[in-house]
Amino acid sequence: MGSRRNKARQRSRDRNILEGDRNTAYFQAVANQRSRKKRIEVLEGPNGLVEDQKGMLDIAVDFYKKLFAREERGSVRLANDFWQPEDLITSEENDLLTMPFTEKEIKEVVFSCYADGAPGPDGVSFMFYQHYWDIVKADLLSMFNNFHQGKLDLHRLNFVLITLIPKEEGARPMKKFRPISLINCSFKIFSKALTMRLGKVIDRLVSPQPSAFIQGTYILESVVIAHELVHSVHKDKEPGCIIKLDYEKAYDRVSWEFLFEILESRCFNSCWIRWIELIIKQGSVGVMLNG
């Protein structure tokens, strides 16, 4: 009964329920309601509306192939003197980033993840890794040791299923859907381990201006700054011009070649760059409709 209740709770995606609630019927109702809301009956393709499952899947796959296709980078390159000496990674920081992984470090990674989150394609959630930590920890540590030595075939874990969430009721064009990527938690453990290591040196590497994606910063600060600028211009009755730039799928369309050029120019060592390459490049993607 416990595993059944936990599975129902995970399907509900309700993060507001306190520990101890056992209303499985409620969890099932929430999950079923979510499933009905995001069910896709028809998609709009280049040749009109399509209702059959295979036709809709072809539209979705073709859309994301074109959206995430590699684009020519152009002639932009970093100058040799672009970075100041204080902007470069030190040998001590490189040692910190690439030192062998410890059981304590891996446990911190696993237990810092949300246990009731959606599992990846393999069906194993972080709840499993946390609940059975004493059993799986030796295997995880062995995998990390192999990863550190360059012996782990990581791309076998790096499989993503894209599921589509409608942005509005009756959505039909692909741009009206929000893609949610489901990836194996076993792979997330590796990516988060590297993220947590990088977090120890990132404050020195990134300017204080960004207001998102770094611990301790808040994206709403940008909204407050924009509001204050508009208010100041309006109050002083001065002419002004405000430009808003929005990059479509900005992260997913970053040039990997440029990213590696950044890492090399800032003196990250070859081991760290190889790890990042394994994380972001060697994987496969599928699209799931009404799964």
Side-chain angles (χ1 to χ4, degrees), residues 34 37-40 64 162-168 171 173-181 288-289:
R34 287 170 55 89
K37 287 180 65 177
K38 67 181 183 181
R39 181 167 182 80
I40 302 172
Y64 286 113
I162 296 178
T163 183
L164 304 180
I165 307 297
K167 296 180 180 179
E168 58 187 43
M174 285 298 301
K175 289 189 175 182
K176 295 294 183 180
F177 291 88
R178 180 178 295 108
I180 302 297
S181 298
M288 179 174 61
L289 289 181

Side-chain angles (χ1 to χ4, degrees), residues 47-82:
N47 301 318
L49 300 180
V50 176
E51 297 182 0
D52 65 284
Q53 183 78 3
K54 183 179 183 305
M56 292 193 295
L57 192 59
D58 289 341
I59 290 174
V61 170
D62 186 61
F63 175 82
Y64 286 113
K65 277 186 177 180
K66 292 179 179 178
L67 182 63
F68 299 137
R70 183 179 180 274
E71 299 178 1
E72 291 300 324
R73 175 180 165 185
S75 59
V76 177
R77 295 291 186 276
L78 293 178
N80 293 331
D81 58 350
F82 184 84

